[in-house]
Every structure is written in structure tokens, then in C-alpha cells.
Amino acid sequence: MNLKVAVVDDEAPIRQWLTYCIGTIAPEDKISTAANGAEALEMMEQVQPDIVFTDICMPVMDGLELMRQAKEKLPFTKFVILTNYAEFSYAKEALSLGAWEYILKSEMRAADIKNLLDKTRAQAEKIRRTKVDGVFPSGHLDLYEIYNTADAADASKRILQRLGAREGVNYRVWAVPNGNSPKSWMVYSELAERFRRETGGFALVASERTYEYLLFQPDGDNVAQILAGTGISFGTSSVSAALRDFPVLLRQGAAALDAAFFGGVTDYEALAARRPLDRGRIHQFKKQFMQFLQDYRFPEALDTLQGWKNAIGQPAAGDVSWAMEHSRRMVLLVEEQYCRETESGLSKEELPDTLEACVERCRSLVAKMQESSRTSTFIDTAVCYIRAHYSEDLSLARVAQAVYRSPEYFSRQFKEEMGENFSVYLTLYRLERAQELLNRTDLSIAEIANRVGYANPGYFTRIYKKYRGITPEQARMTRL
């Protein structure tokens, strides 16, 4: 069986090497390439690849956003993440989004690529052998043909009518978790059979990698009665009488099931009636929260975290996926800050599966950071002062005066408690802020230098290279 493979990376040498490897390993496979997520998404809608090898950090659209958007349209496509050690937190998030595997670029070998291609091919062949007219032995419809057909709406109508669904009769889709086990498949099959037996209507179970879907026709109160007491989480789509709407209702049901992350409403129509989230306000809460953490203002950080939770906690239908990803990224940001402050390794725990758990993980890490702070009160104050005024012409004498200590005593105590002298600490902090601006903005190097306290761009470049080993321009190109 030949595969359709996509390679997505903004670094041409990586794309070329992977394309060469795949072409050598499996010359009959069709290979497509793209230099960023946006280009890849457009290409994938046309090619519908079986497996995608993608970088995480790319311009225009990164690998995580590519996965999030592609998941809605091509749920059967497997993603393999290419990452650096410094991007482990992003790889962790990619796995939470459903990435199949991740490979460290520094350790990438042709044998690894071959193994992943072989596994993909073997799984696809096994599925193809077990299906009869697109239906598994369990009686569940494989949605691959619908998602991977140019006109999914017409394919849906044709397939559903072939299986016994009736045009013009109301139905809806109930999305449920895919347990990927015979036990869960049997439970869903039994629910469908019970509906047929008690109502004489049409019932169908359909499967993809992340979700399974129950379709009951005609729609009515008896559906909820059948599902009540099962303990199964589900999300419900809107109602339609047109079979060609099936692909739309699948996505609606999936969004409603995902909304269980936030607790409460898991009905698509109720979600659609909500006002869209104020994403700018949510970003502002996050920015302020992280600034409080960096300034050791822990009580204010916790208050801001609660404000962030309130702002993001009731997403509308179109915000659910974004809000889930944003919530998990918040956890990763706090984990990274905790690792920097405590010099510990990044947790390999799975990311939380509810908003409440995300907030609780953040609170716990903030508490640990607060407990691990072993500095004197005036040193805490000095650090806050440095972080508030690092962009200015800051001297040891000025900071010592701000905390009412002599320069000599302040210098000695600062090094003893912070582990490095004042000038090195200030330089490293300025370079951290510079790195953020290089990653997240298109400001010129001169403007970035000025914003972090260096009036002379040339001196800033020399300092940056001295401490980080590369120039600011090179750092921006890598987009780490």
C-alpha cells in the first residue's frame, strides 16, 4: 500500500533530508512538502496525507496550530513532531493534541523514519482488510471515506442512505470518547441496538481516531433516556433532517464533547448561543500573570490567575478548541517558569484534562515557587525593582539605594543569595526579555536592544553572542 506523506519544516535542509530518506525508503509513496503551517494546511486539504512530519516552531503558522486546524478536517492523519530539546514543552502539548510520535531533530535517523512509515502502512492495511463497504466487524462505520472524499456532503448522504438512514427525518450526532478497545465498542453498539429495538428507528455508530459518534434517527427525548445512567461523557450536535449535513454535525458534536473540558454545557446549540470569548482580555490576563510571577509577586499572580480562569471559562462553540489549547499552554508557561526558578527538570506528567485541573496545577506550582524563595525581603524587593526597570540605565548603586542598603553590602548579599553578581543577573535577565521579543515580534534588533536597556545595538549584539553563543539575528532565524 502506498502512502501519502507530507513534510513540513521552515528549514530547507531538514525538508530535503526527510524527502530524500522517504523517497529512498519507499519510492512509491507520494511526498508533498511545505515551509510553514499555513502553506501545509492548504496543501493537506488537497493531498489528504496519511502521515505528516512537522516542525513545531515555524513562521506564519506553527506546528501546534497546524495540528489543531487539521484535526477538524483530517482526523485520520497521523502527525509526527520534529523538535529540539529546548522545545520539549511544545512537544508535550503536541502529544496532548493527538500527535502520534515526536522525534528529536538531533537524533533523527533514517531507521526511525522507516519504522514510522512501516507502522502507518501496516495499520492502514489492517483496517482496510477488516472493513466491508466501509464498516468494521463491530458494525461501526469508518469515517475515513467521508473525511477523505472531495465532496464529503454527497459521500455522507450516499453512505448513510445505503446503511438505512432516511432523508428528511430529524437526527443529531452524539460524540463520545473513543476508548479504542473492544469493550467500549461493544457498549456503543449495545446502545445503538437498544435504540433500534425500543423505537424501530435508525441508529449508527461511526468511528475515527479521537471520537466515536452515535447517530439516532428520529431524534427525540428517548435518546437522552437511553444514554442516561451510562456514565458516558457526550457532546451533542444541532438537529438536521439533511443527511448531507452529517460532516458538519460530526464537527459540532466533537466541539461539544471537547467543551466538557470546561465543565457544564456540552450541547452545541447552547455553546453557539454564547458570546465569543474576549481573546485580547484573556491574553492580557496571561501576560500580567506571568509578569507577576517573574517579579515574585505571588499573591497578585494568584489573583490574576483567577481572573484569567473567569475570562476563559465559558467558551462559545467557535472558541472551544482555542481555549483548550490556551489553557494547556498556560500550564506549560508556569511549568517552565518553575523550572527556571527552582532549577528542576520539566515535568513529564500529562497535561491536565480540565480547566479546573489546569488552574490547580498552576496554583500548586506558584505555591512551590513561593516556598522555594529563600531570599531576604530586601533582595526580593531588589529583584522586583530590577525586573520593573531593566530597560533603563540601571546601576548597582541605584538599586541599592532603592532598597536602602549600601552598595557594598547590597553587592555582597545579592551575590550570596542569588548565586551571581548584580551585573551578570541584570545582563541575563535583559537577554531573556530580548529572546522573548526576538521570538514573538518583528521589531528590529536596534529597537529590541533599546527596549531591554542597551542604547548601542552593536554592544547588545556582542553581549548576546557572548552569553548565548549566537547573534540575535541567528536566534531570530531559529525561532526557538
Side-chain angles (χ1 to χ4, degrees):
M1 175 181 175
N2 298 332
L3 296 177
K4 292 177 286 185
V5 185
V7 176
V8 186
D9 200 301
D10 59 324
E11 298 181 70
I14 298 291
R15 289 200 309 275
Q16 292 164 1
W17 184 83
L18 275 169
T19 301
Y20 171 78
C21 282
I22 296 166
T24 302
I25 293 165
E28 300 304 316
D29 288 349
K30 180 180 179 181
I31 307 170
S32 304
T33 64
N36 60 65
E39 183 181 318
L41 190 63
E42 183 177 352
M43 172 266 288
M44 287 172 62
E45 290 180 7
Q46 299 298 319
V47 174
Q48 297 176 344
D50 300 293
I51 183 169
V52 177
F53 294 85
T54 181
D55 190 13
I56 290 181
C57 294
M58 298 180 290
V60 186
M61 179 191 291
D62 65 21
L64 296 177
E65 182 63 18
L66 169 62
M67 282 189 63
R68 189 179 70 78
Q69 294 196 30
K71 179 181 175 183
E72 297 180 4
K73 299 178 180 179
L74 299 168
F76 292 93
T77 296
K78 290 181 169 64
F79 278 85
V80 176
I81 300 300
L82 311 176
T83 183
N84 298 312
Y85 279 106
E87 299 167 352
F88 179 75
S89 63
Y90 291 101
K92 186 175 177 180
E93 183 180 354
L95 292 174
S96 78
L97 287 171
W100 191 38
E101 187 59 85
Y102 74 90
I103 301 176
L104 294 172
K105 287 186 177 182
S106 59
E107 299 177 3
M108 189 163 51
R109 301 173 302 167
D112 299 322
I113 307 304
K114 182 179 186 304
N115 181 50
L116 291 167
L117 292 174
D118 288 347
K119 285 170 65 177
T120 302
R121 203 181 319 275
Q123 289 180 9
E125 289 177 344
K126 180 180 178 181
I127 290 172
R128 185 172 63 178
R129 286 196 304 269
T130 60
K131 290 189 300 183
V132 177
D133 291 333
V135 177
F136 292 114
S138 63
H140 297 194
L141 173 67
D142 181 12
L143 290 169
Y144 182 88
E145 184 178 347
I146 290 176
Y147 278 110
N148 290 64
T149 300
D151 195 334
D154 285 346
S156 295
K157 182 176 179 179
R158 182 179 68 253
I159 291 170
L160 291 178
Q161 286 184 321
R162 186 188 74 210
L163 295 173
R166 292 175 291 163
E167 182 70 15
V169 178
N170 282 350
Y171 72 98
R172 75 172 75 205
V173 166
W174 302 67
V176 293
N178 189 336
N180 291 304
S181 70
K183 182 178 179 180
S184 67
W185 299 333
M186 185 177 297
V187 169
Y188 299 146
S189 296
E190 289 173 351
L191 289 172
E193 179 56 34
R194 180 181 167 189
F195 179 85
R196 297 186 194 101
R197 186 174 62 251
E198 294 183 6
T199 69
F202 173 79
L204 172 73
V205 184
S207 300
E208 57 159 90
R209 284 201 307 139
T210 307
Y211 312 98
E212 293 205 62
Y213 302 92
L214 307 175
L215 185 161
F216 297 109
Q217 188 188 49
D219 178 64
D221 294 339
N222 50 355
V223 174
Q225 293 171 4
I226 289 173
L227 290 173
T230 64
I232 298 171
S233 299
F234 54 80
T236 59
S237 74
S238 58
V239 177
S240 175
L243 297 180
R244 70 190 322 274
D245 289 341
F246 186 51
V248 175
L249 268 58
L250 291 172
R251 289 192 288 271
Q252 290 181 359
L257 178 58
D258 284 344
F261 181 91
F262 301 93
V265 174
T266 55
D267 175 82
Y268 184 84
E269 291 181 340
L271 292 170
R274 286 177 171 175
R275 295 180 61 182
L277 292 177
D278 186 342
R279 298 190 183 188
R281 182 166 176 257
I282 292 168
H283 279 302
Q284 187 60 37
F285 270 121
K286 181 180 73 173
K287 180 179 178 181
Q288 189 176 40
F289 168 73
M290 293 307 299
Q291 189 62 57
F292 282 143
L293 278 191
Q294 293 164 8
D295 293 343
Y296 300 116
R297 296 169 64 181
F298 300 114
E300 293 97 324
L302 291 174
D303 287 343
T304 306
L305 179 63
Q306 184 61 45
W308 171 86
K309 177 188 175 185
N310 294 341
I312 203 172
Q314 295 188 347
D319 292 316
V320 170
S321 180
W322 176 87
M324 286 178 65
E325 182 181 345
H326 186 85
S327 299
R328 287 170 168 156
R329 286 195 182 189
M330 176 68 104
V331 174
L332 291 171
L333 285 171
V334 179
E335 282 188 350
E336 290 176 341
Q337 182 68 21
Y338 172 76
C339 292
R340 285 194 294 268
E341 296 293 341
T342 62
E343 298 182 355
S344 60
L346 188 67
S347 167
K348 289 183 170 56
E349 293 180 62
E350 291 186 1
L351 288 171
D353 58 4
T354 66
L355 174 62
E356 189 61 46
C358 287
V359 172
E360 187 54 39
R361 176 83 65 86
C362 291
R363 285 178 181 146
S364 175
L365 291 170
V366 171
K368 289 179 180 179
M369 280 187 269
Q370 192 168 14
E371 290 171 5
S372 69
S373 177
R374 294 184 293 272
T375 58
S376 303
T377 301
F378 82 86
I379 294 296
D380 284 340
T381 304
V383 169
C384 290
Y385 189 90
I386 292 168
R387 296 185 176 195
H389 300 276
Y390 69 91
S391 62
E392 302 168 14
D393 183 15
L394 205 57
S395 66
L396 183 147
R398 177 179 166 184
V399 178
Q401 183 179 22
V403 295
Y404 308 101
R405 298 294 188 276
S406 69
E408 295 78 11
Y409 177 80
F410 172 74
S411 177
R412 184 172 61 252
Q413 197 68 14
F414 189 95
K415 184 173 183 179
E416 179 179 330
E417 296 192 19
M418 298 301 293
E420 54 200 12
N421 64 43
F422 168 83
S423 61
V424 171
Y425 180 88
L426 175 60
T427 297
L428 292 176
Y429 186 75
R430 283 171 164 171
L431 294 181
E432 285 182 14
R433 303 286 76 77
Q435 182 67 63
E436 292 177 0
L437 293 172
L438 288 166
N439 287 345
R440 301 173 184 175
T441 74
D442 292 318
L443 295 172
S444 68
I445 302 302
E447 178 62 22
I448 290 174
N450 185 64
R451 289 196 180 193
V452 298
Y454 294 99
N456 186 325
Y459 178 72
F460 165 67
T461 296
R462 290 195 298 274
I463 289 293
Y464 194 100
K465 185 172 183 180
K466 175 182 176 181
Y467 282 92
R468 296 202 164 227
I470 58 176
T471 66
E473 291 84 354
Q474 291 169 330
R476 168 163 277 168
M477 290 178 64
T478 60
R479 292 281 182 180
L480 292 178

